[in-house]
Amino acid sequence: MADLIDRLVELVGTGAVLAGDAIGEEWTHDEALTAEAARPDVVVRPASTEQVGAVVALAAARGVPVTARGSGTGLSGACIPRAGGIVIAFDHMAEILELDLENHVAVVQPGVTLEQLDAATAAHGLVYPVFPGENSASLGGNVATNAGGMRAVKYGVTRHQVLGIEAVLGTGEVVRSGGKFVKSTSGYDLTQLVVGSEGTLAIVTEATLRLYPRPEHTATILAPFASMEAIAAAVPRIVGSGIDPMVLEYIDLVAMAGIEAASGIELGVDPDVRAQTLAYLVVVLEDRSARRLDEDAEELALMLGELGAIDVYGLPPQAGAALITARERVFWAAKANGANDIIDMVVPRASIPTYLARVAELAAESASFIVGCGHAGDGNVHLSIFQGDAEVRDRVLHDLFAAGVAMGGAISGEHGIGSEKKAYLRELEDPAKLALMARIKTAFDPHGILNPGAIWDPEVMA
Amino acid sequence: MADLIDRLVELVGTGAVLAGDAIGEEWTHDEALTAEAARPDVVVRPASTEQVGAVVALAAARGVPVTARGSGTGLSGACIPRAGGIVIAFDHMAEILELDLENHVAVVQPGVTLEQLDAATAAHGLVYPVFPGENSASLGGNVATNAGGMRAVKYGVTRHQVLGIEAVLGTGEVVRSGGKFVKSTSGYDLTQLVVGSEGTLAIVTEATLRLYPRPEHTATILAPFASMEAIAAAVPRIVGSGIDPMVLEYIDLVAMAGIEAASGIELGVDPDVRAQTLAYLVVVLEDRSARRLDEDAEELALMLGELGAIDVYGLPPQAGAALITARERVFWAAKANGANDIIDMVVPRASIPTYLARVAELAAESASFIVGCGHAGDGNVHLSIFQGDAEVRDRVLHDLFAAGVAMGGAISGEHGIGSEKKAYLRELEDPAKLALMARIKTAFDPHGILNPGAIWDPEVMA
């Protein structure tokens, strides 16, 4: 090990290697509620792609596990290091290399944060439209987990913005894929394969990201409903109208109470209306024209009335922004309130009510408390599970995932599998597909050193 | 071989197997101008995924090549069978299995054509937004080549619409990936990997496709420019304005003359203006509101004036539609005029003028005639190459691809590599990436039976 550290110091410099007691607690965990922290043997902070390649090549030669780490804001344990392994941290590779205003792309290093990119693009009237809710998150981490967020109903998720990457394979080789263009049929799409692979196929050292014009005006509309069925029925009507909402969220009664308590927002909902409400639909519209935005907001309000909303509130700008911010922070509210776990199942959006009915049954059967909110426009259901007994919780989680998969869904919409959901993936996914994925993993990482223990256990791979 | 045919008849029925003289000329080619036709030993027309799986499993056991075929409208030779191989044709699997209006998706079999899906979605005010120019093309073929077309600047290409697939691996195993949702981080994205892989990784037997609201109103604006530089400079301004064009095409002088001659369109461009014009920019806007469309068209016309358009013409609806149709048919005009080859290089869109300047040099140096048009909004340059000497043409093509790759581009934006561009890919692509792709190919197709000879030669793979 001492020898490994010496070699790493040769590769990246003394100041960029942490070992032993110099490795603080902050390197040992992400934000997953259930994951056990683990201390790596060494943390390296490379300054260039060449250094990343050299570190990975060394690790490959020695058979030492390597885990890439951005801001550590993940929710599934994907960047928790393996004991005895190397963490490659990207805080020294955090530069926006290029804002290309002609091609509308940003070229970034993996340590660049969402808020850093947002400030840089805003200055040019542009936006990188992925807002997963934690703006200190790094883009490397976003690419690794295919981060989503509330604006996916309009813009898609990280996958849809990544036009190209530079990445280091498990051999230490550096490859580039894609570029400053939205289309290519010139061999296999390695970019899309690496996006969402949670650091198990390659380590992304540069990403070319798509930018969009940033509309100046937004409006937030809040509509209380008496049932999830009515909300789910409203969604295709709203999307199909062509009004193109930027955000289309549902928030259940309890989650909204938590949001209100945590943020102190006053939504102005009439007490009589509240008494009938089971869940809220929140719609955010955006437009470059204030007049068109007003017209659309009015059209939407009428539509919501016809679709069974108990009432419709156009929130004042400050309250609207506060509600969206509080919704983005709902994970922290759940954590503060003692949630034992959170999940982000995805199902076909029209199946949300059926799925939530099943969730209610599972909660009742297991004496768990399960509440949440989610992306009504794209079927991504975020649930907080309050169940202190780990064994019962494990069974509930299994049943929650199994129910969603049976409806044609997937275990995670945007958080990823990481270390925390891999047992469920193994149980619920088609073995032929898992075997295929394992062969793909080997194609990228023949020595099995890239983030072993994320998505599946190395022994399952073999 | 007789025994193989007997076994195939057992699997799919007598009526669904063609062999010997029963295999007509129509099975031997696609629309690539340069590819040599080849006759398969046998054509099977399965009626179900299970039959496809059984045929592939049999082929794998015998080591017989298998080439999937949709409508045969490809432009790169990807569905030309290998002599001695099996063609799996999808004309008996051509059903729209589901139009899901709640989730806004269509579930289709691979033999469904674009025009079939367009008619079905139009009836519900929805649209599948990929229009690669040939509406008899099959969706299986579109998925295999990641088909693009003029609307990519707004909607993206086939890749962005494919939410899920069912596919048969080279082992005969059937896997499903994705589903009726736009986001998932639950293992590797096999869907995106198979899209654009030209039948070399898996044979798609079902696709779940995203649908959009179909805006009722469109406007076509034609702007003659004196230089490609001015057109390229206008594009980011138009896209950045938020006006969200559906189509943003450039057409060079000669290509426009060909379009006018072939279609008989009268564009009403003033002769004085024509005399100064080097290329045209064509913009199509769409909106659900006629008033907003008019406003945007007016704003765009003003913008184009400021951006150096010599004049701006709002085309009457019929002329606008005719121009777009003629543009879609430009391949046929080039073919009729004796073009020896066509290519669809993609470069960063701001590099189009530099690239076209290099094209002009290469044309002059080699005494070739090279003209074209392309997707100004996404950097996809379509060129017709008139050069009868195959050896000279090969050198010109090589130089055209090399110049674009040096600018950060890719060999094909939407036609694919197929059999016709593979020598250039092999020469210009990073060997480490080709080796990685070959390992991925083996992960899907361990016996190397799926469309060998497309993208690269089997001997390169080994």
Side-chain angles (χ1 to χ4, degrees):
Chain A
M1 177 45 66
D3 163 60
L4 178 71
I5 291 170
D6 289 346
R7 287 286 296 122
L8 289 170
V9 168
E10 281 171 35
L11 295 176
V12 300
T14 318
V17 177
L18 302 176
D21 291 346
I23 300 176
E25 179 270 347
E26 69 272 23
W27 299 100
T28 64
H29 64 84
D30 67 357
E31 295 298 340
L33 292 179
T34 52
E36 263 182 60
R39 191 174 292 270
D41 271 12
V42 54
V43 175
V44 296
R45 300 152 107 174
S48 69
T49 300
E50 292 64 37
Q51 290 188 356
V52 177
V55 169
V56 173
L58 175 64
R62 307 277 183 107
V64 178
V66 173
T67 298
R69 183 179 183 89
S71 301
T73 57
L75 294 168
S76 69
C79 74
I80 295 179
R82 286 182 74 81
I86 300 172
V87 163
I88 299 188
F90 282 107
D91 49 345
H92 294 178
M93 287 177 72
E95 223 181 299
I96 298 172
L97 299 174
E98 193 183 357
L99 268 189
D100 178 339
L101 305 178
E102 302 303 303
N103 291 303
H104 285 155
V105 299
V107 182
V108 301
Q109 290 189 312
V112 170
T113 64
L114 286 168
E115 68 203 341
Q116 191 183 343
L117 183 59
D118 193 51
T121 53
H124 297 280
L126 297 172
V127 66
Y128 176 70
V130 180
F131 287 82
E134 180 52 58
N135 290 333
S136 70
S138 74
L139 283 153
N142 271 219
V143 171
T145 57
N146 187 23
M150 283 194 275
R151 301 192 194 181
V153 64
K154 176 164 180 177
Y155 292 100
V157 294
T158 301
R159 171 176 307 293
H160 304 104
Q161 323 309 334
V162 183
L163 302 180
I165 53 170
E166 177 191 72
V168 175
L169 309 184
T171 55
E173 290 167 296
V174 178
V175 299
R176 297 187 68 89
S177 167
K180 291 177 173 180
F181 43 78
V182 295
K183 52 157 65 159
S184 166
T185 304
S186 305
Y188 306 147
D189 195 328
L190 304 175
T191 309
Q192 291 299 318
L193 185 54
V194 170
V195 173
S197 65
E198 306 191 45
T200 64
L201 293 182
I203 296 180
V204 173
T205 49
E206 187 186 301
T208 300
L209 305 173
R210 191 169 181 184
L211 305 177
Y212 297 77
R214 182 185 284 256
E216 268 179 65
H217 309 281
T218 60
T220 306
I221 288 106
L222 177 70
F225 277 84
S227 75
M228 269 311 299
E229 284 76 8
I231 288 183
V235 165
R237 290 283 304 278
I238 297 168
V239 173
S241 73
I243 219 166
D244 205 11
M246 175 174 81
V247 167
L248 203 51
E249 294 285 301
Y250 78 86
I251 303 177
D252 78 16
L253 201 60
V254 181
M256 185 61 102
I259 284 174
E260 287 179 297
S263 66
I265 302 175
E266 183 40 70
L267 295 170
V269 178
D270 185 274
D272 285 356
V273 172
R274 258 182 212 276
Q276 305 167 55
T277 299
L278 200 82
Y280 295 84
L281 183 66
V282 181
V283 189
V284 182
L285 303 179
E286 60 174 2
D287 208 292
R288 63 198 178 99
S289 146
R291 194 201 71 216
R292 289 184 184 183
L293 185 70
D294 287 348
E295 290 169 2
D296 286 352
E298 206 168 305
E299 183 184 335
L300 175 65
L302 281 173
M303 206 188 305
L304 286 167
E306 287 166 18
L307 291 166
I310 305 170
D311 205 345
V312 180
Y313 302 87
L315 297 184
Q318 268 198 315
L323 175 60
I324 294 301
T325 303
R327 163 62 189 89
E328 282 180 343
R329 309 287 297 169
V330 76
F331 164 72
W332 299 103
K335 187 176 175 178
N337 282 309
N340 301 101
D341 207 348
I342 54 154
I343 69 167
D344 82 309
M345 186 84 211
V346 65
V347 294
R349 70 179 185 213
S351 304
I352 290 181
T354 322
Y355 183 64
L356 289 181
R358 183 73 191 122
V359 170
E361 285 173 10
L362 290 170
E365 284 166 24
S366 64
S368 309
F369 183 58
I370 306 180
V371 294
C373 50
H375 311 308
D378 50 42
N380 194 194
V381 175
H382 288 257
L383 296 172
S384 299
I385 293 118
F386 297 79
Q387 170 53 262
D389 184 319
E391 210 168 296
V392 175
R393 195 171 66 237
D394 175 50
R395 206 178 60 232
V396 172
L397 257 70
H398 171 274
D399 293 350
L400 288 170
F401 291 131
V405 167
M407 291 174 194
I411 289 174
S412 171
E414 53 196 24
H415 296 172
I417 299 298
S419 56
E420 299 309 289
K421 311 278 185 284
K422 66 187 171 188
Y424 308 109
L425 182 75
R426 186 180 175 182
E427 195 167 353
L428 295 170
E429 185 54 281
D430 174 10
K433 250 171 84 178
L434 287 177
L436 173 59
M437 289 182 191
R439 296 195 297 271
I440 294 171
K441 159 87 172 160
T442 302
F444 279 81
D445 177 24
H447 312 291
I449 58 159
L450 292 181
N451 214 13
I455 305 184
W456 46 54
D457 285 310
E459 54 273 24
V460 179
M461 293 276 318
Chain B
M1 177 48 63
D3 163 60
L4 178 70
I5 291 170
D6 289 347
R7 288 285 296 122
L8 289 169
V9 167
E10 281 170 36
L11 294 176
V12 300
T14 317
V17 176
L18 301 176
D21 291 346
I23 300 176
E25 181 270 345
E26 69 271 23
W27 300 100
T28 64
H29 64 85
D30 67 358
E31 295 298 340
L33 292 179
T34 52
E36 264 182 60
R39 190 174 295 270
D41 273 11
V42 54
V43 175
V44 296
R45 300 153 106 173
S48 69
T49 300
E50 293 63 37
Q51 289 187 358
V52 176
V55 169
V56 174
L58 175 64
R62 307 273 182 111
V64 178
V66 174
T67 298
R69 184 180 182 88
S71 301
T73 58
L75 295 168
S76 68
C79 75
I80 295 178
R82 285 182 75 81
I86 300 171
V87 162
I88 299 188
F90 283 108
D91 50 344
H92 293 178
M93 286 176 73
E95 222 180 300
I96 299 173
L97 299 174
E98 193 184 355
L99 268 190
D100 176 340
L101 305 179
E102 302 302 305
N103 291 303
H104 285 155
V105 300
V107 182
V108 301
Q109 291 189 312
V112 170
T113 64
L114 285 168
E115 68 203 339
Q116 192 182 343
L117 183 59
D118 194 51
T121 53
H124 297 279
L126 296 172
V127 66
Y128 175 70
V130 180
F131 287 81
E134 180 51 58
N135 291 332
S136 70
S138 73
L139 283 153
N142 271 220
V143 171
T145 56
N146 187 24
M150 282 195 274
R151 301 192 194 182
V153 65
K154 175 164 181 177
Y155 291 101
V157 294
T158 301
R159 172 177 305 296
H160 304 103
Q161 324 309 335
V162 183
L163 303 181
I165 54 170
E166 177 190 71
V168 176
L169 309 183
T171 55
E173 290 167 296
V174 179
V175 298
R176 298 187 69 88
S177 167
K180 292 178 174 178
F181 44 78
V182 295
K183 51 157 65 160
S184 166
T185 305
S186 306
Y188 306 147
D189 195 328
L190 304 175
T191 309
Q192 291 299 317
L193 185 54
V194 169
V195 173
S197 65
E198 306 190 46
T200 65
L201 294 182
I203 296 179
V204 172
T205 49
E206 186 186 300
T208 300
L209 305 172
R210 193 171 178 182
L211 305 176
Y212 297 77
R214 182 185 285 257
E216 266 178 68
H217 309 281
T218 61
T220 306
I221 288 106
L222 178 70
F225 278 83
S227 76
M228 267 313 297
E229 284 76 8
I231 288 183
V235 165
R237 290 284 304 279
I238 296 168
V239 173
S241 73
I243 220 165
D244 205 10
M246 175 173 83
V247 166
L248 202 50
E249 294 285 303
Y250 78 87
I251 302 177
D252 79 15
L253 203 60
V254 182
M256 186 61 103
I259 284 173
E260 289 179 297
S263 65
I265 302 176
E266 182 40 69
L267 296 171
V269 179
D270 185 275
D272 285 355
V273 172
R274 258 182 211 275
Q276 306 166 53
T277 299
L278 201 83
Y280 295 84
L281 183 66
V282 181
V283 189
V284 182
L285 303 178
E286 59 174 2
D287 208 290
R288 64 198 177 97
S289 146
R291 195 202 70 216
R292 289 184 184 185
L293 185 71
D294 287 348
E295 290 169 2
D296 286 352
E298 205 167 305
E299 183 184 336
L300 175 66
L302 282 173
M303 207 188 307
L304 286 166
E306 288 165 17
L307 292 166
I310 306 170
D311 205 344
V312 180
Y313 302 86
L315 297 184
Q318 266 199 316
L323 175 60
I324 293 301
T325 303
R327 164 62 190 89
E328 282 179 344
R329 310 287 298 167
V330 76
F331 164 72
W332 299 103
K335 187 176 175 180
N337 282 309
N340 301 102
D341 207 349
I342 53 155
I343 69 167
D344 82 310
M345 185 85 212
V346 64
V347 294
R349 70 177 185 215
S351 304
I352 291 179
T354 323
Y355 183 65
L356 290 182
R358 183 72 191 122
V359 170
E361 286 173 10
L362 290 170
E365 285 166 24
S366 65
S368 310
F369 183 58
I370 307 180
V371 295
C373 49
H375 311 308
D378 51 42
N380 195 194
V381 175
H382 289 256
L383 295 172
S384 299
I385 293 118
F386 297 79
Q387 170 54 262
D389 183 318
E391 212 169 296
V392 175
R393 195 172 65 236
D394 175 50
R395 206 178 60 232
V396 171
L397 257 70
H398 171 273
D399 293 349
L400 287 170
F401 291 131
V405 166
M407 291 174 194
I411 289 173
S412 170
E414 51 195 26
H415 295 173
I417 299 299
S419 55
E420 299 309 290
K421 310 279 184 284
K422 65 187 172 188
Y424 308 108
L425 182 75
R426 185 180 175 183
E427 195 167 351
L428 295 170
E429 186 54 282
D430 174 10
K433 250 170 85 179
L434 288 176
L436 173 60
M437 288 181 192
R439 296 195 296 272
I440 294 171
K441 158 87 172 160
T442 302
F444 278 83
D445 178 25
H447 311 290
I449 57 160
L450 293 181
N451 214 12
I455 306 185
W456 45 55
D457 285 311
E459 53 275 23
V460 180
M461 294 273 321

